Amino acid sequence: DGGITQSPKYLFRKEGQNVTLSCEQNLNHDAMYWYRQDPGQGLRLIYYSQIVNDFQKGDIAEGYSVSREKKESFPLTVTSAQKNPTAFYLCASNPTGSSGNTIYFGEGSWLTVV
Amino acid sequence: QKEVEQNSGPLSVPEGAIASLNCTYSDRGSQSFFWYRQYSGKSPELIMFIYSNGDKEDGRFTAQLNKASQYVSLLIRDSQPSDSATYLCAVRTGNQFYFGTGTSLTVIP
């Protein structure tokens, strides 16, 4: 089945650790996005990528890094520089092109600092 | 700064009533508008999108867009308890999507 797969679903991070969240899509979408959602809050854009080997910072990129070596993969690393990483992380993709095309989400990853 | 604003609620309606959800946006260059439903602990799922002024209906859902007023709304007719969720308004500007903080809806049986 086509879709966006995020892993792991739940992740615990110790202080000072880097962790990487995986996002894979088989929809052949060009654009991919990472959002962060805090309890009771909306979605805030961390990074996005329109094409392979290119990506741009979103509104809250500090403390995060990404790569886009393959069209179907867009992993997010939460570095130790991110001081408050506990949140729900959502990966999304979009085929670009027509303005009617929307953004589709994976099931999300919960990250907790312990 | 591009902003999408929604009344956070909570909004409570009795089963079978019409629920009305509203959203305003600040960027007149925004092209497309979307409504997502998000159940607690789950990812958002698309309900419908609209990009022309007027109404668009899909089953029990109607989206309304007024670009002059920079206003988008979602009507849910014959509300069901399963409609209880947070509804996110999203706006597309260029290749970026901006989300409101969501409106929490509770449908009371």
Side-chain angles (χ1 to χ4, degrees), chain A residues 33 35 37 41-43 45 48 50 88 90 94 96-103 105-107 110, chain B residues 31-32 34 36 38 40-46 49 51 88 92 95-102:
Chain A
Y33 306 78
Y35 288 89
Q37 187 176 34
Q41 302 296 314
L43 278 63
L45 181 65
Y48 67 102
Q50 299 295 313
F88 187 43
L90 288 159
N94 163 258
T96 66
S98 168
S99 62
N101 286 328
T102 188
I103 193 169
F105 290 93
E107 294 191 344
W110 290 93
Chain B
Q31 305 135 297
S32 311
F34 308 88
Y36 287 83
Q38 186 176 27
S40 180
K42 303 295 185 182
S43 65
E45 54 180 332
L46 179 69
F49 69 89
Y51 50 85
L88 301 173
R92 178 174 181 165
N95 288 321
Q96 289 203 40
F97 295 79
Y98 298 90
F99 290 81
T101 55

Side-chain angles (χ1 to χ4, degrees), chain A:
Chain A
D1 289 344
I4 303 169
T5 302
Q6 289 186 239
S7 63
K9 187 169 180 64
Y10 299 97
L11 184 62
F12 297 90
R13 191 194 92 168
K14 293 182 179 179
E15 295 282 351
Q17 271 187 338
N18 292 353
V19 294
T20 298
L21 307 179
S22 169
C23 179
E24 303 279 332
Q25 54 100 356
N26 60 4
L27 301 167
N28 200 33
H29 286 175
D30 293 309
M32 296 187 75
Y33 306 78
W34 274 104
Y35 288 89
R36 167 178 172 149
Q37 187 176 34
D38 294 279
Q41 302 296 314
L43 278 63
R44 293 185 290 168
L45 181 65
I46 305 173
Y47 269 98
Y48 67 102
S49 169
Q50 299 295 313
I51 57 173
V52 175
N53 292 323
D54 188 40
F55 48 83
Q56 287 79 42
K57 293 182 179 180
D59 299 322
I60 56 164
E62 184 175 353
Y64 300 97
S65 65
V66 294
S67 62
R68 187 85 186 277
E69 297 178 0
K70 298 185 296 183
K71 186 175 184 177
E72 59 270 24
S73 179
F74 192 41
L76 173 74
T77 297
V78 185
T79 75
S80 57
Q82 172 49 243
K83 298 307 179 187
N84 185 23
T86 296
F88 187 43
Y89 290 85
L90 288 159
C91 179
S93 71
N94 163 258
T96 66
S98 168
S99 62
N101 286 328
T102 188
I103 193 169
Y104 298 92
F105 290 93
E107 294 191 344
S109 293
W110 290 93
L111 174 62
T112 302
V113 174
V114 296

